Amino acid sequence: LKHIVQPTNMRCLTPHDEKEKGSFLAANLYARSVFGEDALVNVSVEKKDDNDGKLAGYIRIRSKTQGIALSLGDRITSVQRGLPKSHGTVNINLLA
């Protein structure tokens, strides 16, 4: 979760205890652009046991305008590409 929140300057709306371990994570994130546009990001990630611990999941970006959704999607994609391939993939859906 920190891997997405920090580089995108988003705020996590879902209470999350880092000490808690599990194979599934779901969280809601919030961002506001410098132009006052709001975006809600839904993160759903699962650590696969049968797939050598790779991650799989979805990130949904919801906003009233397409601009912030595309910008956040590009930023999240660039952060995701910075990881080694062994970490798995997360699909991004843009809903504006």
Side-chain angles (χ1 to χ4, degrees):
L1 189 59
K2 269 196 289 185
H3 180 73
I4 295 172
V5 171
Q6 290 175 348
T8 56
N9 297 323
M10 287 189 275
R11 189 174 74 209
C12 183
L13 302 176
T14 306
H16 174 69
D17 186 7
E18 291 183 17
K19 298 174 189 171
E20 213 174 287
K21 299 295 179 189
S23 62
F24 188 79
L25 171 70
N28 292 314
L29 310 175
Y30 172 78
R32 175 170 278 179
S33 75
V34 293
F35 303 109
E37 300 168 310
D38 297 320
L40 181 65
V41 179
N42 307 109
V43 179
S44 176
V45 180
E46 181 181 8
K47 187 175 182 180
K48 298 286 189 178
D49 292 332
D50 61 341
N51 211 5
D52 298 328
K54 291 184 179 181
L55 299 178
Y58 290 92
I59 297 175
R60 277 208 180 124
I61 302 170
R62 299 173 186 265
S63 68
K64 288 186 177 182
T65 60
Q66 191 176 18
I68 189 170
L70 292 173
S71 177
L72 275 174
D74 288 345
R75 186 176 293 177
I76 291 169
T77 300
S78 68
V79 167
Q80 184 180 3
R81 287 186 179 151
L83 287 177
K85 290 184 180 181
S86 64
H87 281 83
T89 60
V90 177
N91 296 322
I92 299 175
N93 295 328
L94 303 176
L95 304 171

